[in-house]
Amino acid sequence: MEDANQPDSKPRSLEAAQASFLQGQGLFERGEYREAIQALARAIALVDTGSKLAGEVGLWLALAYDAAGDRQEALGLCRRLATSPYQEVRKQSRRLLSILEAPKLSVNPNWMTQIPDLNAVQGESYRAVGRSGASGVKAPHRPSPFDPASEIDFSQVETQDNGFIGVAFALSIALIGGLIWMGLR
């Protein structure tokens, strides 16, 4: 016999599952896939396996498995989710399953562009100020490597007007005037 004053553990486990789910999503989005797998697995363990939330968490878990390099685990989870009682979960799992089962394309390294590591660009000014800037140390101003104005020598830029705008404006006025004059006749 249940005590009427006994708090229901179901809402607590649902809250804990949702918290773990949100934590897992955040970890996944930051690229911390192994930690995301742990958080998402905790979330799934706290909910009913046939619930919609379990299906949504399962989809994220499959993505985390794949991102962490565990393709077989991701495929197995997608196959189980493809039989979910919820249409949206079934549809998303089938889409993900088709992506995971697609053959990998070979890529010629000459077609790829290497993205430089920007951590080296931040250098000492980043460490002196820190992430929050709370140290009070003012970092020296360095132009951004992506700021086009930092590489332009404005003394070399020719600023003399070549008259193109004036000629184009005059021709436009003449053309419009001619069309109006022809329309009035």
Side-chain angles (χ1 to χ4, degrees):
M1 185 168 177
E2 290 185 29
D3 184 5
N5 295 331
Q6 181 72 18
D8 188 11
S9 65
K10 194 90 162 159
R12 283 192 197 145
S13 67
L14 182 60
E15 288 174 8
Q18 289 172 334
S20 289
F21 180 35
L22 291 174
Q23 179 188 21
Q25 285 177 319
L27 289 165
F28 179 87
E29 290 171 352
R30 287 191 304 272
E32 299 172 22
Y33 304 121
R34 289 288 169 203
E35 293 84 1
I37 290 170
Q38 293 171 355
L40 293 168
R42 272 193 314 271
I44 277 193
L46 293 170
V47 295
D48 178 27
T49 57
S51 70
K52 186 173 183 180
L53 180 59
E56 291 171 358
V57 174
L59 288 168
W60 277 87
L61 184 56
L63 288 170
Y65 278 133
D66 182 54
D70 196 350
R71 172 77 43 110
Q72 293 308 312
E73 192 69 33
L75 285 167
L77 185 53
C78 279
R79 288 184 184 112
R80 287 191 302 272
L81 291 170
T83 62
S84 170
Y86 298 96
Q87 179 183 1
E88 188 62 29
V89 173
R90 281 194 313 267
K91 185 170 77 170
Q92 292 296 332
S93 65
R94 288 178 185 147
R95 285 181 180 168
L96 182 55
L97 189 59
S98 67
I99 291 169
L100 294 175
E101 289 178 333
K104 290 286 184 188
L105 298 175
S106 61
V107 178
N108 184 337
N110 294 330
W111 300 342
M112 303 292 289
T113 301
Q114 292 295 331
I115 299 174
D117 181 13
L118 297 180
N119 289 326
V121 172
Q122 293 172 341
E124 292 177 23
S125 66
Y126 181 73
R127 278 178 268 182
V129 174
R131 289 183 188 258
S132 65
S135 71
V137 177
K138 185 85 171 166
H141 173 70
R142 293 184 195 170
S144 167
F146 304 108
D147 183 13
S150 68
E151 297 181 15
I152 297 174
D153 181 10
F154 287 104
S155 66
Q156 302 293 322
V157 176
E158 185 177 330
T159 59
Q160 183 179 0
D161 185 14
N162 63 6
F164 173 76
I165 300 293
V167 171
F169 183 71
L171 285 174
S172 298
I173 295 295
L175 182 62
I176 292 171
L179 290 172
I180 291 173
W181 183 72
M182 294 293 277
L184 293 177
R185 293 191 108 211

